[in-house]
Structures are given as C-alpha cells and as structure tokens.
Amino acid sequence: MIEGARASEWGRRTGVTVALLLLAFGLRLGNRALFYDLFPDKVRQIVAAGNLLRGRGISDCWAEPADLARVTCQPQTDWPAGYPMLSAAITKLSGDFIVTDAIIDAIALALVLLAAGSLIRRFHAAERSDTAYRWFLAFSAISFAPYVYLTTTDLFSLGLYLTAAVVALRIAERPPALAASAGAGALLWLAAVTRYNYVPLLACVPITFGLVGILRRDGRLFRSAAACVAVALILSLALRLSLPRNGALLPHSAGGGGWYPGNLRSLDPFALKAFFYLDPVLSRVKRIIPGLDSVVLLAAQPLALLLVAGSATWAFTRLRSQGGSDQEPLGIFMMVTLAVTVATLAWLSLRTAPENLPYNPRWTYLWETRYYTPFLLLLVPLAFALASTPTAGGSAALVRGARVTVGSAVVYAVAFDLWIMWTLVGRHDLSRTSFAQPTTAIRVAHQVRHLAASEDRPVV
C-alpha cells in the first residue's frame, strides 16, 4: 500500500516535470520563431554550407564583375567551420537549410534544458532538487533571459558545453572513465568549432580534473584530463587537414596591435542579465531621458557583482567542507568557467579598438552579454537550487539572497511577458518580430534557400 502510494506520487511528480520541460521547450522555440535571427552572419554561413555540399568547401563565392559566368570562391574564416558542416550534414536529410536551422535550435535547446536539470541535482543533492528544477523550467518557459541573447550557434555551443560539464562531473565522481573523458573532449571541441568564444573554454574541464585530482590526491583524474585534451587536439588536427584554408579553431583575427585599457571599464552587468532582460527597458529609458540608461547600467553593476560574489562564496564553501564535498568539482568548474571567460574577454577588449556600433558606440567584448552565457547557465541553476534550500546554517544568507533574486526574476518575467502580449495583441505592434513584414521575411527566407541550394548562381 505504502509502496503503491510512493509510486503514484513519484509518477505525479515526474509527470509535472516532463510537462514543464515540454512547455519550456515549446515556448522557447516559439519565441525564437517569433524573433527569428536570420541576420547577415547566419545567411553567409548557410550559403557556405550550400557551397560545401556543392564541393566548393566552406566558402564565400561571387561572380566576377568582368565575367559574370566566372565564379570566384575564397574560404570563409570570419566564423568557425562547425555550423556550416552541421548545417550541410542535416540538410542532406531535411532538404531545406531554414528547416535545418530550426532543427539545430531544437537540439541545442533540449541539451541546455536537460543539462541544467543534471546540474541542479548536483547543486542541490536532495529531494528538493526536483522542485528546484521544476521552478527553473517554469522560469525558462516565461523568461526571455538568459536565452534571448543567444543566436543559433551560441545556443548550440552552450548545449554542448553544459553537456560536457555533466559528463565531466560524473567522471570526477568515478574516475578514470577514459572513454567518457574522450567524449567530453569531443563535445568541447565541437562547441569550440561552432563558436570561437568557446576555444579558451576547452581548458575548463581539464583544469577542473587537475585541480580536483590535486585536492583529492587522485592521479586517475590527470589521465582523464589528458584524454580530454588529446581528443580535442586530434579532432582539431583532422579538421585542419580536411579544411586547410579555413583553419580549425583560430579566428582570422583576434585582437589588434594596440592597447585600449579604457575598454576595461565597459564591463557588462552579465550576472544580473542572466535573470532580467534589461535591454528593452534601457532603450525606452534612453528615449525618455538621454543618458539615463547609462545611469541604470551603472546602478546594476553592484547587483551583478553581488550575484557573482554569492556564487563564488558557494563554490569556496564547497572546497572548505571537512572531508571534502560531492559538490567540490562543480564549484571548481563554475569558478574556472567564470575566470577563463572574464580573462579572455578582458584580453580581447584590451587589445581591440572599440567598435562604433549603432546600439553601443563603444562596444567591446566585455560588453557582449552572450559571451558570458557558459557561466550564466551555471549561475541560474545554482540560484534555483539555493532558493529551494532550507535557511539553516552558514548558508542562510546565500539562500535568502537566492530567493530574493529568483522571486524578483519570476515577477519581472511575468510583467515583461504581459507587456509583450499587450504590445503584440493589444497594440498590434509586430515591428520587432518575424511578422513585422511577413512578405519580406518570406522572400528573404526563399532567397537564402535559393542561394544555398543553387548549383550555378553564386552570392553576388
């Protein structure tokens, strides 16, 4: 009787979790369709995928002005080769590059949501982790942040990175698991060849293995680190040999020849933006009072730093636990991810002149929220895990802070969604959506399909 009741309760809870997972998955995909990112960068990569299928390699092609029948192609090096290769492979099955893009989005989103569940169970090793995961899924269903900052390649690389993290944390519990270590290395490599900003993050899992191995005096983890690095290097060499003119992991340019220390002041309040989608609010504030958006961002910085400090406090608390902690590897991995991300962006900002972009005249790498998402998708699950923890012991302040953050984020997300619905339905304002000019959107999508699939017409 008791066992039957327990089984029934487990089934009910599992059903609720699966329903919320499907809801979050469906609404996030719907959101990406409503605000589809068919920007020039993606168009060029889709066309490069078409060139790859036609035997021209991952390239940009054009007709010579003096002889339009003559096609000239050169390797595409503005972006890594991962997305065009993946797009070409899936399009062989789907038959349509735009459909393929949606499939990649769906795969990536599924990886992110499932990996977040595994991470939450490690952040909170108790029955309440299921409750925390359900709240995380509900938040993911209604909140634009942190997903709104991500393009398709950002989301796909993030899904691979978080999945590699889950595999690596399992290895840290049961070393050496060399086959699993090789799998983690392959996932990290694929993330890096899809987005250049994941290249330095290739080091995070091996560094975590090394630090955990030192703390636990377990030499087996060094073998896991070596296997992870070896696989990434072998795959990079194989890609380099197969696409010698496209490169493997390195962008065509990374930083200039000067030094720009003033760029280091342009730090994005990324930790706060993990929970609150501030950009539309800032643009409205700027229209009302020019310059007020800068004041709001300046006020947001201490709050963002407080969130980072809270995560660091949690991580270092795990390290100081007597007799070690099962969460020790996760705390190390989280801090290594944060350190590598910020250090890389700071270096690139220091060495690259600010770009005069329309939305930010002094844009630098430190200002781009999406570059911080490998850490943000560790921070958000941690906050939901802590928010469901009883307020007892030395972590009471962290728990209360997490509850305030999560509660405020949920309220903000609901209010923002209501505003979006009023804008779309009440005011019939579709200006910022894919349906702003439906005939134009359809025509552009058709042109992209034609450019990518055409056997004889290059990009002019």
Side-chain angles (χ1 to χ4, degrees):
M1 192 78 168
I2 295 176
E3 292 296 327
R6 287 178 178 174
S8 176
E9 178 66 14
W10 179 86
R12 184 187 67 80
R13 291 181 177 179
T14 302
V16 171
T17 302
V18 171
L20 285 171
L21 176 61
L22 294 175
L23 179 66
F25 181 77
L27 289 179
R28 289 271 58 79
L29 278 185
N31 182 272
R32 294 184 75 80
L34 185 61
F35 302 96
Y36 186 49
D37 63 331
L38 194 59
F39 299 130
D41 290 4
K42 178 180 284 187
V43 171
R44 281 184 60 192
Q45 291 181 78
I46 290 175
V47 174
N51 288 333
L52 179 62
L53 288 178
R54 292 195 294 274
R56 295 172 176 166
I58 300 174
S59 60
D60 294 318
C61 299
W62 61 91
E64 291 289 346
D67 183 3
L68 294 179
R70 184 176 156 205
V71 177
T72 299
C73 297
Q74 72 175 29
Q76 187 180 93
T77 56
D78 291 330
W79 303 278
Y83 179 83
M85 290 193 302
L86 184 65
S87 178
I90 296 178
T91 300
K92 283 188 174 182
L93 301 176
S94 71
D96 188 297
F97 286 96
I98 303 298
V99 172
T100 292
D101 191 59
I103 292 172
I104 295 173
D105 269 342
I107 294 171
L109 184 59
L111 288 175
V112 169
L113 294 176
L114 292 173
S118 181
L119 291 170
I120 285 176
R121 293 183 184 95
R122 283 176 167 77
F123 279 124
H124 192 332
E127 291 183 0
R128 289 188 179 87
S129 63
D130 291 334
T131 302
Y133 184 42
R134 285 193 286 270
W135 274 107
F136 169 82
L137 291 173
F139 176 72
S140 296
I142 64 173
S143 176
F144 277 60
Y147 306 97
V148 69
Y149 311 114
L150 305 176
T151 65
T152 295
T153 52
D154 290 307
L155 186 63
F156 188 66
S157 291
L158 176 64
L160 294 170
Y161 185 75
L162 294 179
T163 304
V166 170
V167 173
L169 293 169
R170 294 270 305 192
I171 294 168
E173 296 168 1
R174 302 181 184 86
L178 294 182
S181 301
L187 290 169
L188 291 170
W189 172 84
L190 187 54
V193 296
T194 304
R195 286 293 310 181
Y196 280 136
N197 61 296
Y198 283 81
V199 172
L201 295 174
L202 280 167
C204 291
V205 166
I207 290 174
T208 300
F209 283 152
L211 293 176
V212 174
I214 291 171
L215 290 173
R216 296 183 176 178
R217 297 179 182 178
D218 189 344
R220 296 175 297 175
L221 284 170
F222 293 103
R223 293 198 292 274
S224 294
C228 186
V229 171
V231 167
L233 290 175
I234 291 170
L235 290 174
S236 298
L237 178 61
L239 180 61
R240 181 76 182 189
L241 294 174
S242 60
L243 297 170
R245 299 179 65 191
N246 286 92
L249 290 175
L250 297 178
H252 67 290
S253 63
W259 295 88
Y260 305 91
N263 289 351
L264 299 182
R265 296 195 301 268
S266 300
L267 180 65
D268 186 64
F270 58 92
L272 194 65
K273 286 186 174 182
F275 301 92
F276 304 92
Y277 181 35
L278 299 177
D279 294 7
V281 176
L282 292 172
S283 63
R284 281 185 165 269
V285 165
K286 184 178 182 179
R287 286 200 298 269
I288 296 170
I289 304 178
L292 186 57
D293 58 321
S294 299
V295 176
V296 174
L297 282 172
L298 187 63
Q301 291 289 3
L303 297 175
L305 293 174
L306 194 60
L307 289 171
V308 173
S311 66
T313 301
W314 177 86
F316 288 114
T317 301
R318 304 306 102 182
L319 297 181
R320 294 172 57 188
S321 299
Q322 292 185 353
S325 167
D326 291 338
Q327 297 169 332
E328 188 178 74
L330 179 53
I332 292 174
F333 178 76
M334 188 174 186
M335 290 300 100
V336 169
T337 297
L338 173 63
V340 171
T341 299
V342 174
T344 301
L345 296 179
W347 172 256
L348 290 173
S349 297
L350 187 64
R351 297 286 286 151
T352 306
E355 297 185 28
N356 188 20
L357 299 180
Y359 57 88
N360 188 346
R362 290 192 56 80
W363 181 93
T364 67
Y365 288 91
L366 282 168
W367 197 255
E368 191 72 37
T369 308
R370 62 195 175 115
Y371 293 155
Y372 297 93
T373 46
F375 172 73
L376 300 187
L377 263 293
L378 295 170
L379 178 64
V380 175
L382 171 61
F384 278 89
L386 284 174
S388 63
T389 303
T391 51
S395 62
L398 286 178
V399 171
R400 283 193 288 267
R403 288 178 179 176
V404 170
T405 302
V406 166
S408 302
V410 170
V411 171
Y412 181 89
V414 171
F416 188 83
D417 284 350
L418 291 174
W419 176 67
I420 289 291
M421 291 175 64
W422 176 71
T423 301
L424 298 179
V425 180
R427 294 174 53 195
H428 304 288
D429 181 1
L430 304 177
S431 59
R432 296 183 180 275
T433 72
S434 303
F435 306 104
Q437 295 176 305
T439 54
T440 301
I442 293 170
R443 186 171 69 250
V444 169
H446 175 73
Q447 289 174 346
V448 171
R449 289 187 177 99
H450 180 69
L451 288 171
S454 174
E455 290 292 337
D456 57 357
R457 184 172 300 180
V459 179
V460 179

